[in-house]
Amino acid sequence: MRPGGIPRSVLRIAAALLTLVLASVLVFLALNVLPGDPAAVMLGTEARPDTLAALRRQMGLDQPQPLRWWQWLSGLARGELGTSHTYGVPVAELVATRAAVSLPLALLALLVAVGLGIPAGLFAATRHRRTGDLATMAVALVGLSVPAFWIGILLVLLFAIGLRWLPAGGFPGWDAGILSGTAALILPAIALGLPQAAVLARVTRTAIVEIMRLDFVRTARSFGLTRTEALRRHALPNALPPIVTVLGLQFSFLLAGAVIVENVFYLPGLGRLVVQSVGGRDLPTLACLVMLLVTAVVAVNLAVDLLLLRLDPRLRQRG
Amino acid sequence: MTGLLEVEHLTIRSPGDPPLVREVSFRIAHGERLGIVGPSGSGKSLTALAIAGLLPDGLTVEGSVRLDGREILDLPEAELARLRGRRIAMVFQEPLTALDPARRIGRQVAEPLAIHGLGTPLERMARAEALLRAVGLPPERASPDSFPHELSGGQRQRVLIAAALAAGPDLLLADEPTTALDLVTQRQILDLMDELVAGRGLALLLVSHDEGVIARMCRHVLVMEAGRIIRSGPAAAPSTGGAVLPPQPRERPEPPALLAASGVSRRYRLPGGAIRQAVDRVDLAVAPGEAVGLVGGSGSGKSTLVRLLTGLERPDAGLVRLDGRDPAEPAVPRHPVQLVFQDPFDSLDPRWRVGRILAEPLHGLRLAPAVRHRRVLAALAEVGLPAEAVRRHPHTFSGGQRQRIAIARALVAHPRLVVLDEPLSALDRPLQEQVLELLAALRARHGLAYLLVSHDLDIVRRLCSRVLVMAEGRIVEEGPVGQVLLRPASAAARALLAARLAPPAPPVAPPKAGDYEP
């Protein structure tokens, strides 16, 4: 408990909500107030002034800025996201179909990163400064250096064109069945997840190696644990805070930063939608997308903060 | 008596260096106690760690260690682990870092039971609670659900002892178990170990740099130096040493005092909102050239008072005058008062060369570079270090040499008062002796005034004529050192005196039968 009796977790949640409100102001300012009239863009340069004024009135552009911000934000909260200028469909529907691709893709990629990165980091830590460690870290360095799209192209060459195990690209939609949907996401998830696995392996190894040197690990061994058991029971739980912090950053990146891999595999994901709506000046869609990604990042950060409070009892008290 | 532990020709090497431990042999019978004493780097801790198979990576070990006649030195890690905790338990030096910060203490005490498959989870927790009670931590003082950071150093050492005893070992290896604790807590922990070891018929190998600690616990002692056993025999109380300075027949300090404080108070807000009165209406005076001791247990407010007296912090109430001026005023020159801190490893910037470190107090005095350099070399010579030291970094010096550098840094500004905050606590006893003599000689040569902060009355006695006793933020007793030592008036002074380990060496209780069953 803190002075004033407010638990730390409540303070963190309040801070996250405040961040979202501030972000909405920034997004609104960037998209609506800065030069460039959306109505003028829609009508083109030949538009007559009275047509332009009518459209501005119809779009609500003639109202004061703070009021427009509030209407937009409360609309977002109620789920009224407006209509996409480019596609002519409700933004909510558009974003939902894209998120149905991007979210599973990010989760799968995270699974690849955790499933490969953490065991590799643990393996390297147990063989600190020996051959196994050096080999693992060398592979991780290659994984870090090679761009995800290049890994994607190699994967397509091998598994789609060579072995014909998995589709080379495109997304059949979840209506075509969970299996074929997932199959379409496997190669992109590996391409996205491998560089992240390399980062995670390095973070895990460093954290574990540092903790294995600490006194309490020796104490645990004096109780009767072997080195490996002490690593699993004492070093790993204490190494989780840095690992979880990195995972949180990675998830945000995987959700929003998959544009290139989505392009390599022709996936209809959020990343491509961002690029398309920027190109088409589709402001309602863009505003909604940016807010969605901001919300996702803030939410993941909040989850990481709350998890860290659980993992390290010392954080719960410090002021 | 059968030999429980037999160590023969134990040699520990770091590849490429001379052996760290050479040809060490000894044996310990069931229920017997043996002490190993020696300065840091003598190999005594490595010897204990080697027995438990916990040597740091990269060290190789030769010779023989037998437990009940069975060779254990070359056992694979998994088999050795089965002996640790169950047959051989260990208590370490640094209680603040020796416990897993993310685990509740009850679970850590129960962990050896879990590792060795003793009892059901429920029985283990009950056992852990009973053990915590036995080491003086009943649930009302420290719940088994607390985390280590919620406990004091002494309490954490009690938790470690409870955990070490949990699986009923036959042999306890204690590596400097009380070195990191203040004297009062040290005494309590030794009493506790004495009682538990005797009550359970454990054999004890006690490693310490402090002969007083060994004499308190063991009858027999091995003296190690540079990796070898150089002497073995009955443990004796250490020589208490004579006064370095003849007691000075000094009258009460006549005004004007060099340093004067009146009604000085300072309070802090603790996390959680509570207020702590760290220093409470303190009056004191130090005359020019006088050496005054300030003693008190940990948490008595000594360090806060030092910060107030040296102007590092302002009091909430009261006045501090150094040479008639307020030392916290930015315009008042700081060089008349200099500080020497406890830890010579932490108080010197590791990236600076010694020459730059020593010149720092001269910053702002507008001296010509040549004058500055002469002063630095003179200060080095005063503390007995060669002039070439200015080009080296602190890490290339030993702990004792670093404390000399810290003293030289204090001298370079030609101060009138040097505040010494536990200046010897981080040093071995032989080094303590040397630094003590250096401090006494410097004071005689320059007419320095000292304010010596310590919890060790023996050190205060040897350097100071007058002593102030502090408890709970107040000065509770004041007088000539001899008087306070012989006839302490306050409870705080009596507690500090009782905590001194020299000279009593109580007889060791004969081991009792009755093996502990978890």
Side-chain angles (χ1 to χ4, degrees):
Chain A
M1 299 286 275
R2 312 242 314 142
I6 306 168
R8 218 155 226 302
S9 45
V10 173
L11 290 177
R12 295 272 160 93
I13 292 170
L17 290 176
L18 186 65
T19 311
L20 281 182
V21 172
L22 289 176
S24 77
V25 172
L26 283 180
V27 170
F28 179 81
L29 286 177
L31 297 182
N32 288 290
V33 177
L34 296 182
D37 185 339
V41 171
M42 284 173 76
L43 291 176
T45 45
E46 307 292 307
R48 282 167 38 199
D50 56 329
T51 324
L52 185 63
L55 183 64
R56 286 179 57 88
R57 208 163 29 249
Q58 189 197 331
M59 292 174 75
L61 295 179
D62 53 343
Q63 301 200 23
Q65 304 287 4
L67 185 66
R68 284 174 53 209
W69 169 76
W70 176 248
Q71 284 170 345
W72 172 67
L73 189 66
S74 52
L76 280 185
R78 284 194 304 272
E80 296 163 11
L81 309 180
T83 308
S84 160
H85 295 166
T86 321
Y87 294 83
V89 295
V91 172
E93 200 177 294
L94 187 62
V95 169
T97 48
R98 298 303 187 97
V101 178
S102 280
L103 198 63
L105 175 62
L107 287 174
L108 274 177
L110 203 64
L111 200 67
V112 170
V114 171
L116 287 175
I118 291 183
L122 288 176
F123 173 82
T126 53
R127 281 158 189 77
H128 183 49
R129 296 211 175 144
R130 286 184 279 167
T131 322
D133 178 24
L134 297 178
T136 312
M137 284 305 111
V139 172
L141 190 61
V142 171
L144 271 176
S145 322
V146 177
F149 73 85
W150 179 248
I151 297 178
I153 292 170
L154 290 183
L155 288 172
V156 169
L157 280 176
L158 182 61
F159 292 101
I161 296 172
L163 296 169
R164 299 186 173 280
W165 287 355
L166 292 163
F171 188 69
W174 293 111
D175 298 337
I178 284 246
L179 272 183
S180 55
T182 313
L185 293 182
I186 286 179
L187 290 185
I190 293 175
L192 262 180
L194 273 182
Q196 305 303 321
V199 173
L200 215 50
R202 294 182 71 95
V203 171
T204 305
R205 168 184 175 271
T206 310
I208 295 277
V209 164
E210 269 171 26
I211 287 168
M212 285 301 281
R213 293 198 188 112
L214 297 185
D215 286 353
F216 68 81
V217 174
R218 187 176 63 180
T219 307
R221 291 180 62 208
S222 86
F223 292 165
L225 292 178
T226 62
R227 196 185 289 273
T228 319
E229 288 164 340
L231 187 151
R232 193 163 38 79
R233 289 174 64 139
H234 291 273
L236 186 55
N238 280 285
L240 283 181
I243 296 174
V244 167
T245 306
V246 170
L247 269 178
L249 297 173
Q250 290 185 326
F251 184 73
S252 313
F253 170 79
L254 291 174
L255 196 59
V259 184
I260 295 173
V261 169
E262 283 174 10
N263 266 323
V264 170
F265 288 95
Y266 295 105
L267 292 176
L270 288 172
R272 284 177 82 196
L273 187 57
V274 171
V275 174
Q276 286 158 359
S277 51
V278 170
R281 300 284 189 280
D282 190 352
L283 293 187
T285 312
L286 191 57
C288 172
L289 278 174
V290 174
M291 274 315 287
L292 180 74
L293 293 175
V294 169
T295 310
V297 171
V298 169
V300 168
N301 263 318
L302 177 64
V304 166
D305 276 357
L306 296 180
L307 192 57
L308 288 181
L309 287 180
R310 295 274 343 132
L311 289 175
D312 189 344
R314 288 168 296 184
L315 290 180
R316 286 173 225 165
Q317 282 196 331
R318 280 185 194 158
Chain B
M1 285 207 281
T2 53
L4 171 66
L5 180 77
E6 291 162 300
V7 175
E8 274 171 23
H9 307 297
L10 187 74
T11 298
I12 301 172
R13 288 173 207 278
S14 167
D17 292 325
L20 300 161
V21 170
R22 313 172 194 220
E23 298 279 328
V24 163
S25 304
F26 58 87
R27 49 194 294 162
I28 300 178
H30 280 279
E32 199 185 14
R33 302 179 181 190
L34 177 68
I36 301 185
V37 73
S40 54
S42 60
K44 56 190 192 310
S45 292
L46 288 179
T47 303
L49 288 171
I51 293 168
L54 293 176
L55 279 178
D57 288 335
L59 298 185
T60 60
V61 56
E62 299 153 32
S64 155
V65 174
R66 287 192 298 276
L67 187 71
D68 282 333
R70 177 188 173 210
E71 182 60 50
I72 61 170
L73 201 55
D74 50 6
L75 283 184
E77 164 82 355
E79 282 184 56
L80 201 54
R82 237 167 277 154
L83 298 175
R84 286 198 296 259
R86 187 80 182 91
R87 300 291 318 275
I88 304 175
M90 233 179 140
V91 177
F92 299 97
Q93 170 170 358
E94 195 42 81
L96 293 184
T97 53
L99 289 167
D100 186 336
R103 273 193 192 219
R104 301 179 193 278
I105 59 168
R107 266 191 77 196
Q108 298 202 49
V109 172
E111 185 164 20
L113 299 170
I115 294 168
H116 298 288
L118 304 170
T120 63
L122 224 58
E123 287 165 4
R124 284 179 214 145
M125 278 323 289
R127 204 51 242 167
E129 214 162 303
L131 280 159
L132 284 171
R133 226 177 254 285
V135 296
L137 289 179
E140 58 272 20
R141 286 185 72 183
S143 153
D145 288 336
S146 353
F147 286 102
H149 71 274
E150 297 168 326
L151 273 55
S152 72
Q155 288 177 322
R156 291 190 217 183
Q157 196 62 297
R158 288 170 191 266
V159 172
L160 278 168
I161 292 171
L165 297 179
D170 307 295
L171 172 65
L172 184 63
L173 308 174
D175 182 10
E176 304 269 14
T178 58
T179 306
L181 306 173
D182 71 65
L183 277 187
V184 177
T185 314
Q186 176 179 63
R187 181 60 172 258
Q188 290 166 351
I189 294 290
L190 287 180
D191 285 347
L192 174 71
M193 282 179 53
D194 191 13
E195 174 197 322
L196 293 172
V197 167
R200 288 156 205 255
L202 261 64
L204 173 72
L205 179 67
L206 177 62
V207 171
S208 179
H209 70 277
D210 188 337
E211 288 171 72
V213 167
I214 303 268
R216 166 74 185 78
M217 299 291 288
C218 306
R219 267 184 186 160
H220 202 79
V221 64
L222 305 174
V223 182
M224 279 186 80
E225 209 178 283
R228 284 204 175 86
I229 296 180
I230 56 165
R231 193 152 46 81
S232 113
S239 62
T240 44
V244 174
L245 273 187
Q248 299 197 338
R250 178 176 287 278
E251 295 304 308
R252 290 283 301 171
E254 62 274 12
L258 176 61
L259 174 72
S262 59
V264 167
S265 299
R266 182 80 171 97
R267 51 170 70 175
Y268 292 110
R269 186 183 294 278
L270 300 177
I275 303 268
R276 186 179 139 81
Q277 189 75 41
V279 171
D280 192 4
R281 284 163 288 164
V282 164
D283 302 315
L284 64 81
V286 180
E290 191 190 19
V292 177
L294 178 64
V295 300
S298 43
S300 60
K302 297 181 308 240
S303 302
T304 305
L305 182 57
V306 164
R307 297 177 66 79
L308 297 176
L309 293 177
T310 50
L312 291 172
E313 222 172 283
R314 280 177 188 278
D316 298 326
L319 277 182
V320 177
R321 284 293 174 264
L322 183 69
D323 244 352
R325 301 162 83 176
D326 182 352
E329 281 303 321
V332 172
R334 304 296 168 91
H335 63 272
V337 56
Q338 293 289 325
L339 280 137
V340 175
F341 298 98
Q342 172 170 2
D343 194 331
F345 291 84
D346 284 351
S347 62
L348 303 175
D349 189 327
R351 285 163 308 190
W352 285 20
R353 292 176 201 278
V354 168
R356 189 173 167 203
I357 290 173
L358 292 188
E360 203 180 22
L362 301 177
H363 181 82
L365 289 188
R366 295 168 189 276
L367 298 175
V371 178
R372 195 180 291 202
H373 190 62
R374 258 203 317 279
R375 284 239 207 146
V376 166
L377 293 183
L380 271 178
E382 293 262 22
V383 300
L385 287 174
E388 58 94 19
V390 294
R391 285 189 299 275
R392 289 160 59 189
H393 284 98
H395 71 265
T396 61
F397 294 92
S398 70
Q401 286 172 324
R402 279 188 231 199
Q403 199 60 309
R404 283 171 191 270
I405 294 169
I407 293 170
R409 176 172 60 178
L411 289 178
V412 79
H414 295 177
R416 302 183 60 198
L417 172 69
V418 179
V419 178
L420 305 153
D421 190 354
E422 303 272 6
L424 305 177
S425 306
L427 304 177
D428 287 343
R429 199 165 285 271
L431 285 177
Q432 286 191 356
E433 200 62 37
Q434 292 171 14
V435 174
L436 208 53
E437 277 167 27
L438 173 68
L439 288 172
L442 289 173
R443 181 171 162 238
R445 208 178 301 153
H446 298 289
L448 292 172
Y450 282 160
L451 180 64
L452 171 66
V453 180
S454 181
H455 62 251
D456 190 334
L457 285 170
D458 287 310
I459 289 169
V460 172
R461 178 172 65 85
R462 298 184 55 193
L463 214 52
C464 302
S465 45
R466 196 157 62 89
V467 64
L468 310 169
V469 182
M470 207 167 170
E472 289 171 10
R474 299 184 188 199
I475 305 281
V476 293
E477 188 172 351
E478 180 178 356
V481 172
Q483 181 191 315
V484 174
L485 279 175
L486 285 177
R487 287 182 298 280
S490 61
R494 279 195 295 273
L496 285 170
L497 275 173
R500 287 199 305 164
L501 287 160
V508 176
K512 289 175 200 136
D515 258 351
Y516 168 71
E517 281 302 324

